[in-house]
Each structure stands twice: as structure tokens, then as C-alpha cells.
Amino acid sequence: DYFFVVGDILPVFFACAVLSIVTNVDSTSFGLAWIILRVIYLFLYAYKLNPYRTIAWLGSVICLILMALNLIQ
């Protein structure tokens, strides 16, 4: 169950982070926001706060999308 909470989107984050480093694109703020939102998501998941958990998850997905868009600009 822990893998589902953390590992569902982690490979996408690693891919975006590594590509940002390789292509010398600064995505630090998006990456940091993603990490913070995922930590918040873990706490919300542990305490079963579903509506807030969805908001944190959506925020982390938006951070990944912004990281990917930052790579193609």
C-alpha cells in the first residue's frame, strides 16, 4: 500500500528531475513544491483526510506537468 502512495508518480518525477539536470533547465521550484506536496499527501493519507488529499495530489500532478513543460520551452 505504501508503494501506491509514494511510488505511483515517483518515476515521472525522477525522469523530469534528471532531464532538467541533463538539459540544464532550472526546475528547482517545481521539484521542491512537488516534494512538499507529496509529504503533505502522505500525512493526509495517513489520517484519511480524503478531500484534502485529493487537492495535494492534484497539486503534485500540476507540479510535474509544469516541470515537463519547462523542459520543452
Side-chain angles (χ1 to χ4, degrees), residues 23-69:
T23 60
N24 202 22
V25 174
D26 185 20
S27 292
T28 308
S29 57
F30 299 132
L32 185 59
W34 182 86
I35 291 170
I36 291 169
L37 285 167
R38 291 307 288 186
V39 169
I40 291 170
Y41 177 85
L42 284 173
F43 284 111
L44 295 173
Y45 182 84
Y47 290 107
K48 297 182 181 4
L49 299 171
N50 291 334
Y52 304 110
R53 186 176 79 181
T54 302
I55 294 168
W57 178 85
L58 186 60
S60 70
V61 169
I62 290 171
C63 286
L64 284 181
I65 291 169
L66 291 173
M67 282 179 79
L69 289 175

